[in-house]
């Protein structure tokens, strides 16, 4: 049975606490105000691939003492901890201050760093935001972060953002004791695989949005010409793809290291599985780079279409101005009030001049239309 373990003693070990379960699955001290709830989501001891049950919630000190006495490892999950909430846990497990600072303040690039006997890994999670219609202000992807501390007998996750919950992943791992029995490196692989699988799903969804925009740009409008689309929509989609790109590209090198370079904290059997994750990530990387290039081409094509449309409008305006210039010129000549003009005293002078004017206008109109200006 899944149990929630208390980590209040790690933050303020001298203060006793009563534990209650938060709605999001975390633990908080019922003797404190609701707004002071801790960031701990779950804490458990695993031995031989199975979660160990205890009669009461253990502090991190007690959990790691159990592990180092009887074997196994402890997995602690936190969501957006404050510096004070994380400092006790960091001291208990000997985490490096630089890694602790990155984990608390977030906004880090995906990376893999080694501090003594601890691996510090940063993943950016990407979630696709469903929308009925893509607009110039639509949010297409939403990002979060998962920081992982992998030790010999512990695994700590620090999650930032409203998406990317690891609860379902923890339950799936608990249903596979053989894999979980490989230790903390198995959890690290599972999280990497989970994050990259999310990338694959988001890439497929973003591809649909790009296909929709591309179709609108090149679909025929009036008179068979491309009708184009709002450039703001393309630019917004490009911005969202850039955010996606910032999550995917920096992760390529860490996955290569985890899959190729022998590491003391990574089980050799688990390292083989990282190769599969690296392959999936390489596929997403190619897609995201292709998205960026394709959107550049679509944006340029849309702007070119707008320029062509403006030129076409100017040609039409110029053509009508040329047609109107003929009667304007004739009327201007007759408006000079000369005494001796052949047509003024001729019976058919007015209809002849009017007919010639109309004929000239029609001739100019026909010529311009034949040349595609009208």
């Amino acid at each position: 049975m899944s149990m929630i373990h208390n980590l209040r003693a790690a933050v303020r070990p001298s203060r006793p606490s009563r534990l209650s379960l938060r709605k999001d699955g975390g633990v908080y001290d019922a003797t404190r105000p609701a707004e002071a709830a801790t960031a701990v989501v779950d804490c458990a001891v695993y031995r031989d691939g199975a979660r160990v049950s205890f009669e009461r919630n253990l502090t991190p000190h007690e959990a790691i003492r159990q592990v180092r006495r009887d074997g196994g490892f402890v997995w602690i999950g936190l969501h957006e901890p404050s510096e004070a909430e994380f400092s006790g846990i960091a001291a208990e497990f000997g985490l490096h201050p630089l890694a602790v600072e990155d984990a608390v303040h977030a906004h880090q690039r995906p990376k893999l760093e080694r501090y003594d006997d601890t691996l510090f890994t940063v993943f950016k999670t990407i979630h696709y935001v469903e929308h009925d219609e893509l607009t110039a202000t639509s949010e297409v992807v939403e990002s979060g972060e998962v920081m992982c501390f992998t030790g010999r007998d512990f695994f700590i996750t620090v999650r930032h953002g409203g998406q990317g919950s690891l609860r379902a992943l923890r339950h799936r791992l608990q249903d596979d004791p053989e894999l979980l029995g490989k230790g903390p490196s198995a959890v690290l692989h599972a999280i990497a695989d989970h994050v990259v699988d999310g990338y694959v799903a988001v890439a497929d969804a973003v591809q649909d949005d790009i296909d929709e925009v591309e179709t609108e740009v090149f679909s025929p409008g009036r008179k068979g010409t491309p009708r184009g689309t709002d450039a703001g929509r393309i630019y917004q989609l490009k911005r969202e793809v850039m955010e996606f790109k910032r999550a995917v590209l920096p992760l390529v090198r860490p996955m290569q290291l985890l899959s190729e370079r022998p590491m003391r904290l990574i089980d050799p059997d688990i390292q083989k599985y990282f190769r599969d994750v690296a392959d999936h990530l390489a596929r997403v990387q190619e897609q995201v780079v292709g998205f960026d290039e394709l959107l550049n081409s679509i944006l340029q094509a849309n702007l070119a279409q707008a320029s062509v449309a403006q030129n076409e409008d100017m040609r039409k305006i110029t053509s009508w101005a040329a047609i109107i210039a003929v009667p304007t010129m004739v009327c201007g000549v007759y408006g000079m009030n000369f005494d001796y003009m052949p047509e003024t005293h001729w019976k058919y002078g007015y209809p002849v001049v009017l007919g010639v004017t109309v004929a000239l206008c029609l001739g100019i109109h026909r010529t311009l239309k034949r040349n595609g200006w009208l």
Side-chain angles (χ1 to χ4, degrees), residues 2 45-46 117 127 168 170 175 213 254 260 273 305 321 329:
S2 189
V45 172
Y46 295 91
D117 291 331
H127 171 72
R170 185 187 286 258
D175 292 336
V213 169
E260 298 173 359
Y273 291 93
Q305 289 176 4
M329 181 188 66

Side-chain angles (χ1 to χ4, degrees), residues 331-348:
C331 294
V333 170
Y334 279 90
M336 289 187 290
N337 298 320
F338 286 115
D339 289 334
Y340 301 101
M341 296 186 73
E343 298 84 358
T344 54
H345 302 290
W346 185 31
K347 179 179 179 180
Y348 301 103

